[in-house]
Amino acid sequence: MSRDDKFKKVISHAKEYGFVFQSSEIYDGLSAVYDYGQNGTDLKNNIKDYWLKSMVQLNDNIVNIDSAILMHPKIWKASGHVDAFNDPLIDNKDSKKRYRADVLVEEHISKIENKIHKEISKAKKRFGDGFDLEQFSTTNPRVLGYTKKIKEISKKFNEALEKDDLKNLKKLIEELEIACPVSGSKNWTDVKQFNLMFGTKLGASADSATDLYLRPETAQGIFVNFLNVQKTSRLKIPFGIAQIGKAFRNEIVARQFIFRMREFEQMEMQYFIKPGTQQKWYSKWKENRLAWHLSLGMGKENYRFHDHDKLAHYADAACDIEFNFPFGFKELEGIHSRTDFDLSSHEKFSSKKLKYFDPKSNESYTPFVLETSIGLDRMFLAVFSKALCEEKLKDGTERIVLKIPKILAPKKIAVLPLLKKDSLPELSKKIKEEFKWEFNTIYDEKDAIGRRYRRQDALGTPYCLTVDHQSLKDGTITIRDRDSMKQERMKVEEIKLKIRAELDIKSWLNS
Ligand code: GAP
């Protein structure tokens, strides 16, 4: 299956099974804004919970806050967002469509990467088990040619971005003969900077209304509360403040489903440290965050670090954890060494002291900050797209299954009476009542049992408990595993122990 086909399947499955809907769909939708349905909301909450537990509950020195979306407008001046939170945009003069100039180049590189991907898939098929990826990638002339091309483009691209050289960015687009995806035309305007913040107004009358912005990141709500939290919690450096919340960006290009949205959610943590220790904490948090991702068992080969060549205005080091999405490796999470930029700047703009008094050394200083920032919606897309599989079964039939990490699955258990008679529904409902206190459990009696298994597979439910005539006699029920499809007969108490063990967060995070 091509990457495009896979991505289309991800989007349609998300809609068909109640995970993600286009926002305002009955009014033809709102571009790059999405709603989460009944199953999507459960999955999203489970991701939040997994992040929060590992970040806050398991760390004695990290606390969680929930700051307001609307903040004083000076905050965005101090943070640098008013002046520097821009993306380079370019218009196509014929189609009148607007694009992000950097994304046009990135997509061009992705197309070349796809060609490499195709060569590798073909060779894998040809050589079977004897295929050696390392050898093939370093000797195949076509792959070598494509790799060289990518390096050349990336060099020019990074130089233009680093220097904010918009003229050279346009020159590169022309050199690569990039055409407008809609019209096929190569008739481009100059590249301009575009500020991504959404403006809004506070106040009832037009004259006295204050101009505000919807926050483009949750981080600033943490910085401006740094002293409130430090003083009331009495935390000593190093310590962290975490937050999950909405962020808003008026993205120029918004074509990749929930990958790039105009309203999205971030899970961020700012770690306040002693100046000079940032390199140590940067390495530590890179390691911690990768370990968190790997604990979900979605394949080590699907993650890679990407160091930033062009650093944001606040950072002295930064990297992304990239994930292998259906459209290739793209940023999932950012890890940024933010220096003392934010706290110093807020000190200047607010004229309030934001210093930390270190009782050990008897000195006051402005802490440095190490940030981890992951998009909740991107994490959702990573989990969902990796989980979606089409499997050929031994009997020749096919099944669609969402192999979501069991700890994140929206519903954990489906209780199914084998037949809709002979008191099986009554016993099933009783069993459902028993499980629902501990696990998100549903009851389903519609259709033949095979179809119900398929429905739960497609929803990603890890366990189906089937109640049959033997259950009436000896109280045993069968438990069917979503991934292996194996069925075992057990007592209710044994099933509880098994599921508890398999969903134990300690085992997941220590795996
Ligand atoms: N506080 C730092 C910050 O906001 P960022 O790299 O701009 O850094 C962090 O964003 C994360 O937020 C990204 O790694 C991505 O997962 C997510 N993100 C950013 N823009 C997004 C968008 N338009 N739609 C969905 N997620 C987005």
Side-chain angles (χ1 to χ4, degrees):
M1 195 192 316
S2 77
R3 282 172 163 190
D4 276 357
D5 288 345
K6 166 89 198 219
F7 193 35
K8 278 184 197 146
K9 285 196 174 157
V10 165
I11 297 170
S12 66
H13 194 88
K15 179 172 182 197
E16 195 181 333
Y17 285 90
F19 283 87
V20 183
F21 307 124
Q22 173 74 61
S23 164
S24 322
E25 192 187 270
I26 60 168
Y27 292 95
D28 296 332
L30 190 63
S31 163
V33 187
Y34 290 90
D35 298 336
Y36 286 85
Q38 66 282 15
N39 294 311
T41 305
D42 283 346
L43 172 55
K44 209 172 159 193
N45 283 337
N46 293 343
I47 296 173
K48 283 192 211 181
D49 197 49
Y50 195 65
W51 184 86
L52 261 185
K53 283 205 170 118
S54 77
M55 193 57 97
V56 180
Q57 191 170 318
L58 298 178
N59 282 304
D60 294 341
N61 65 343
I62 302 182
V63 293
N64 188 27
I65 66 162
D66 182 11
S67 70
I69 288 173
L70 298 177
M71 295 197 274
H72 196 287
K74 265 197 192 171
I75 286 175
W76 305 112
K77 194 80 192 142
S79 68
H81 283 82
V82 171
D83 297 318
F85 196 53
N86 302 321
D87 273 340
L89 76 79
I90 189 164
D91 290 307
N92 185 272
K93 290 183 192 164
D94 298 319
S95 66
K96 310 278 180 243
K97 292 277 174 202
R98 179 158 281 189
Y99 298 93
R100 248 176 79 173
D102 55 337
V103 171
L104 283 180
V105 179
E106 276 170 11
E107 283 178 353
H108 185 84
I109 294 174
S110 275
K111 278 187 195 154
I112 307 176
E113 280 173 349
N114 272 345
K115 288 183 186 167
I116 297 179
H117 191 71
K118 271 192 191 146
E119 292 292 339
I120 291 173
S121 301
K122 269 198 288 180
K124 254 188 195 161
K125 265 195 203 145
R126 209 174 336 126
F127 296 116
D129 287 345
F131 179 68
D132 182 338
L133 178 62
E134 173 71 19
Q135 195 196 354
F136 182 77
S137 312
T138 49
T139 53
N140 179 275
R142 269 192 296 270
V143 171
L144 287 175
Y146 293 139
T147 311
K148 187 167 168 242
K149 215 178 212 174
I150 291 176
K151 271 196 187 142
E152 284 165 4
I153 300 171
S154 302
K155 188 167 177 277
K156 287 185 188 173
F157 181 50
N158 290 330
E159 269 172 20
L161 288 186
E162 260 167 48
K163 293 180 190 152
D164 270 330
D165 187 342
L166 303 184
K167 276 205 179 113
N168 264 337
L169 196 51
K170 182 181 178 189
K171 205 170 134 207
L172 184 60
I173 289 172
E174 287 171 338
E175 247 174 58
L176 298 173
E177 300 192 359
I178 296 176
C180 164
V182 174
S183 63
S185 142
K186 294 171 194 160
N187 193 7
W188 296 108
T189 61
D190 287 340
V191 180
K192 283 181 285 191
Q193 292 289 17
F194 174 78
N195 192 286
L196 298 184
M197 281 199 294
F198 276 108
T200 186
K201 299 244 179 230
L202 179 102
S205 89
D207 311 335
S208 61
T210 314
D211 286 315
L212 296 186
Y213 295 104
L214 300 182
R215 66 180 178 197
E217 62 171 12
T218 60
Q220 298 304 324
I222 295 179
F223 295 130
V224 297
N225 278 298
F226 156 71
L227 263 196
N228 283 337
V229 174
Q230 197 273 321
K231 283 188 173 153
T232 52
S233 64
R234 296 158 160 251
L235 281 164
K236 305 260 180 303
I237 273 177
F239 72 92
I241 306 179
Q243 164 154 241
I244 298 179
K246 291 267 184 177
F248 302 83
R249 295 183 188 177
N250 198 2
E251 297 285 357
I252 302 166
V253 183
R255 273 183 285 119
Q256 283 165 316
F257 190 41
I258 55 170
F259 181 81
R260 202 179 300 284
M261 302 157 88
R262 295 201 163 103
E263 175 180 339
F264 59 100
E265 242 172 299
Q266 288 185 316
M267 305 192 286
E268 298 202 300
M269 193 280 300
Q270 312 297 327
Y271 204 65
F272 297 90
I273 56 176
K274 202 169 175 175
T277 61
Q278 66 267 36
Q279 194 50 49
K280 175 182 97 183
W281 288 113
Y282 180 60
S283 306
K284 188 103 197 102
W285 278 106
K286 272 175 79 173
E287 200 184 296
N288 283 354
R289 293 307 301 148
L290 185 63
W292 182 83
H293 287 285
L294 295 181
S295 73
L296 289 168
M298 300 201 295
K300 204 170 179 215
E301 69 286 1
N302 289 313
Y303 300 88
R304 70 183 187 196
F305 281 114
H306 167 78
D307 292 323
H308 286 201
D309 296 310
K310 186 190 180 212
L311 291 173
H313 56 276
Y314 51 72
D316 70 356
C319 70
D320 299 331
I321 295 178
E322 293 189 336
F323 183 75
N324 191 8
F325 288 98
F327 36 83
F329 275 95
K330 288 270 177 302
E331 175 185 350
L332 170 60
E333 169 156 9
I335 298 158
H336 312 127
S337 170
R338 294 186 75 126
T339 66
D340 60 350
F341 174 86
D342 301 273
L343 290 181
S344 296
S345 191
H346 286 306
E347 228 178 12
K348 203 166 100 200
F349 278 76
S350 67
S351 307
K352 302 278 175 355
K353 271 208 168 137
L354 292 177
K355 298 250 186 303
Y356 170 79
F357 176 72
D358 190 334
K360 265 197 209 147
S361 61
N362 221 10
E363 55 172 347
S364 283
Y365 58 80
T366 309
F368 271 37
V369 171
L370 205 290
E371 168 183 74
T372 72
S373 173
I374 174 167
L376 175 54
D377 313 85
R378 275 194 200 175
M379 185 62 197
F380 183 110
L381 183 60
V383 169
F384 192 86
S385 57
K386 179 71 188 52
L388 186 62
C389 312
E390 281 177 357
E391 277 185 354
K392 262 219 153 59
L393 303 179
K394 280 188 192 135
D395 64 3
T397 58
E398 274 189 11
R399 70 165 183 157
I400 294 174
V401 54
L402 264 185
K403 291 187 175 173
I404 296 176
K406 289 179 177 170
I407 194 156
L408 301 182
K411 307 285 184 283
K412 300 294 190 249
I413 299 170
V415 184
L416 319 170
L418 183 65
L419 301 170
K420 218 167 126 183
K421 58 181 187 182
D422 304 336
S423 310
L424 297 181
E426 287 75 10
L427 179 57
S428 303
K429 282 178 192 164
K430 247 168 107 181
I431 289 170
K432 188 225 156 182
E433 286 302 303
E434 176 111 23
F435 277 94
K436 80 174 186 191
W437 292 93
E438 205 174 336
F439 309 105
N440 199 347
T441 307
I442 52 164
Y443 170 78
D444 187 6
E445 61 175 23
K446 281 177 234 99
D447 300 321
I449 191 74
R451 286 188 72 171
R452 277 180 277 162
Y453 285 151
R454 291 288 171 275
R455 192 152 59 227
Q456 294 308 322
D457 286 345
L459 287 169
T461 312
Y463 309 104
C464 285
L465 307 185
T466 310
V467 178
D468 57 14
H469 292 93
Q470 195 174 329
S471 315
L472 296 170
K473 284 187 221 143
D474 62 11
T476 61
I477 48 182
T478 60
I479 172 166
R480 173 188 180 270
D481 182 88
R482 177 196 67 195
D483 301 343
S484 65
M485 294 192 293
K486 269 203 196 135
Q487 300 195 21
E488 278 179 275
R489 186 170 278 283
M490 289 184 183
K491 293 252 184 220
V492 166
E493 282 312 313
E494 288 171 331
I495 291 179
K496 270 194 189 162
L497 290 178
K498 176 184 162 69
I499 297 181
R500 237 177 247 151
E502 288 187 14
L503 300 181
D504 176 33
I505 190 162
K506 194 170 168 191
S507 318
W508 280 84
L509 285 169
N510 289 333
S511 64

